Amino acid sequence: MAGYLLRRMGQALATMLAVSVIVFVILHLLPGGIVRAQLGSKATPLAVHVLEQQEGLLKPLPVQYWIWLKDTLSGNLGFAYKLNQPVSSLIAEYVPRTFMLVGISMLFAISIAVPMGLWQGNRRNKADDHVISATMLILYSMPTFLLAVVLIVVLNLWLPVFPSTASDYGTSFLVDVKDLALPILTLTLANVTYFSRYMRSSVIDNLLEDYVKTARAKGASRGRVLAKHVLRNSLNSTVTLLGLTLPYTVSGSLIVESIFDFPGAGLLFWNSAQTRDFEVLLGVVLVISAATVMGNLLADILYGIVDPRVRSRS
């Protein structure tokens, strides 16, 4: 297990290093350069040269990258000139809410999809299986923004149960449960379709395996076989999909937060894009990328725990 963990951690570290290089290159490919992005297009050549000298932008690129990497690792992600505050303080204010939103929605999606997929696999081609499959297909075909709009119409306009926009929390991390309801419900419904379909297919495949027939021949009930044998073996696909779905869910949160005006990293990214605050955009990209890589690393670790064969092959 230790060797498996070391290999996966090495891959995660290499991925993050590649992401840092990409972000650094994008930072230097900004229209007019970093300094022009800070001072504006009407800045004089003298002002541009002075700021370039102050920020060390006249040094060779490898030296600049090393200095930038050290600053980034120390928590210095630059300065948001449009909002007049450090990017790190903005990240600390907005990103935890996005992690909370994504984490809760993923937890709900898995909690719903696993038993649903197990039920469908056991009841395949029955009436209830067809009804659930049709419902999941409808949700699967709906873009995230359309699903969010439908939920607003139903649960805010027709049935005024939940607010369609979040309150202003300032720098507070705590968020009203009602403000979380619609964003979490949107991301949960968007993800439950993937997990349930994969879980259903995996359950059907495992029910045809010889170990199930052997267990049944020994007198084990169908419910015991499902709970003790089929469930664990079927979770492999769900754990794998967890790592693959995480980037999609995080990117989907940008749309969801923009629609519901939820004060998270997605809304910060959207507002910064409107004001062309590049330092904030790249800071959010870097932090979210790091979180996504760590999420995939966690999924790999869980995959190794669920299926010991993976550790021996990897």
Side-chain angles (χ1 to χ4, degrees):
M1 184 66 177
Y4 175 78
L5 290 177
L6 288 175
R7 286 191 294 271
R8 288 296 181 263
M9 291 177 65
Q11 292 173 2
L13 185 61
T15 302
M16 274 309 306
L17 186 62
V19 170
S20 69
V21 171
I22 293 173
V23 171
F24 177 78
V25 171
I26 293 176
L27 194 63
H28 282 73
L29 292 177
L30 294 176
I34 305 173
V35 173
R36 287 287 182 182
Q38 297 175 6
L39 299 179
S41 58
K42 297 182 179 180
T44 63
L46 178 60
V48 171
H49 179 75
V50 170
L51 188 56
E52 284 179 340
Q53 193 169 24
Q54 290 177 351
E55 297 192 358
L57 297 177
L58 300 179
K59 298 178 180 179
L61 281 178
V63 177
Q64 291 186 46
Y65 173 73
W66 177 247
I67 296 174
W68 175 82
L69 184 61
K70 288 194 298 184
D71 290 341
T72 300
L73 292 176
S74 65
N76 181 12
L77 299 176
F79 193 81
Y81 291 90
K82 303 293 183 180
L83 299 173
N84 197 31
Q85 65 182 107
V87 175
S88 57
S89 65
L90 290 170
I91 297 293
E93 177 183 344
Y94 286 89
V95 170
R97 298 192 188 118
T98 294
F99 289 165
M100 177 178 64
L101 182 65
V102 172
I104 294 176
S105 63
M106 292 288 279
L107 181 62
F108 282 170
I110 294 174
S111 300
I112 295 171
V114 168
M116 182 187 296
L118 189 64
W119 174 271
Q120 285 187 266
N122 186 44
R123 299 275 301 173
R124 63 185 183 279
N125 296 329
K126 301 291 177 63
D128 50 352
D129 177 38
H130 291 312
V131 171
I132 296 175
S133 296
T135 304
M136 292 298 102
L137 183 60
I138 293 173
L139 291 175
Y140 178 80
S141 62
M142 294 178 66
T144 305
F145 73 89
L146 179 58
L147 180 59
V149 171
V150 170
L151 290 177
I152 290 175
V153 171
V154 175
L155 297 178
N156 180 257
L157 297 180
W158 294 354
L159 302 172
V161 180
F162 301 115
S164 60
T165 57
S167 306
D168 183 11
Y169 296 96
T171 59
S172 175
F173 170 74
L174 299 177
V175 180
D176 195 316
V177 175
K178 286 188 175 182
D179 290 344
L180 282 170
L182 287 182
I184 287 179
L185 185 57
T186 302
L187 290 177
T188 299
L189 292 178
N191 285 321
V192 74
T193 56
Y194 297 100
F195 291 117
S196 64
R197 297 302 297 170
Y198 273 81
M199 186 66 184
R200 177 184 181 274
S201 299
S202 184
V203 169
I204 292 175
D205 291 340
N206 278 277
L207 284 174
L208 299 176
E209 295 290 338
D210 291 337
Y211 73 86
V212 173
K213 299 175 182 177
T214 302
R216 292 287 288 159
K218 288 183 177 181
S221 64
R222 190 172 182 85
R224 180 177 175 82
V225 172
L226 285 172
K228 189 175 180 179
H229 302 288
V230 175
L231 176 60
R232 179 170 180 175
N233 290 321
S234 299
L235 285 175
N236 293 343
S237 61
T238 303
V239 173
T240 304
L241 190 63
L242 178 63
L244 297 175
T245 308
L246 188 59
Y248 163 79
T249 306
V250 172
S251 61
S253 68
L254 188 153
I255 301 173
V256 170
E257 291 177 10
S258 302
I259 292 175
F260 294 105
D261 200 25
F262 183 82
L267 185 62
L268 175 64
F269 189 91
W270 174 260
N271 292 336
S272 299
Q274 302 300 307
T275 58
R276 298 173 61 85
D277 203 336
F278 298 109
E279 293 276 1
V280 179
L281 291 175
L282 294 176
V284 172
V285 169
L286 188 62
V287 172
I288 294 299
S289 298
T292 303
V293 171
M294 294 306 297
N296 279 277
L297 175 61
L298 179 60
D300 286 338
I301 294 173
L302 291 175
Y303 195 22
I305 294 174
V306 172
D307 190 353
R309 296 172 298 176
V310 176
R311 302 197 296 268
S312 62
R313 293 197 303 264
S314 302

